[in-house]
Amino acid sequence: MAALTAFVLNGPNLNLLGTREPDIYGNDTLGDIEAATLKKAEALGITVDFRQTNGEGALVDWVQEAGAKADGLILNPGAYTHTSIALLDALSAIAIPKIELHLSNIHGREEFRRDSVTARAATGVIMGLGGAGYPLAIEALHALMTRGTGA
Ligand code: CA2
């Protein structure tokens, strides 16, 4: 069987992690999170393409690319979580397991963050665990991909 592949996509301002707001988002940089994610993925035999962009259109393009090339997707849409019907449509159009991930617990924050437009198309959601959520999402995605469920 060919090696499993997953895209891990990160949206706007997540490149700033580790520089400000550590009380909300922790002290890890996105590079630290990428290293922990790749380590867990390697242990499970998953090849990961880890990316960040500030652009909504780029995220839509990458979600479509994941649907064409990858076996699973982990997505932290950043603030587009709360607004982007374009991302919801892109997620709805791809037939692979999709995990939405948030560093913070969006339900415990400002009112405008409590709804996730994009999670309507997610197989599952992990939130509130800081950077530790990424390796956990890899484990969950591995289970979904190997069982062939969650698409
Ligand atoms: O909790 C999450 O992972 C979020 O997706 C993070 C987004 C936020 O808009 C969502 O509501 C929840 C923001 C990421 C921005 O991160 C920063 C980190 C350091 C300094 C400034 C922003």
Side-chain angles (χ1 to χ4, degrees), residues 11-21 24-25 76-82 101-106 109 112-113 134:
N13 297 308
L14 286 160
N15 55 312
L16 299 177
L17 286 177
T19 63
R20 268 167 278 151
E21 304 197 64
I24 300 174
Y25 298 120
N76 184 343
Y80 297 134
T81 301
H82 316 294
L101 189 146
H102 297 286
L103 296 155
S104 62
N105 174 2
I106 62 173
R109 300 188 60 194
F112 63 84
R113 291 189 205 272
Y134 282 73

Side-chain angles (χ1 to χ4, degrees), residues 21-65:
E21 304 197 64
D23 45 323
I24 300 174
Y25 298 120
N27 290 304
D28 290 346
T29 66
L30 194 61
D32 296 332
I33 291 173
E34 177 175 5
T37 304
L38 296 186
K39 188 174 170 195
K40 174 61 73 178
E42 189 181 1
L44 293 172
I46 305 169
T47 303
V48 163
D49 196 333
F50 192 102
R51 305 180 189 177
Q52 187 274 333
T53 178
N54 292 325
E56 184 178 11
L59 275 179
V60 168
D61 287 342
W62 289 352
V63 167
Q64 291 182 9
E65 188 183 341

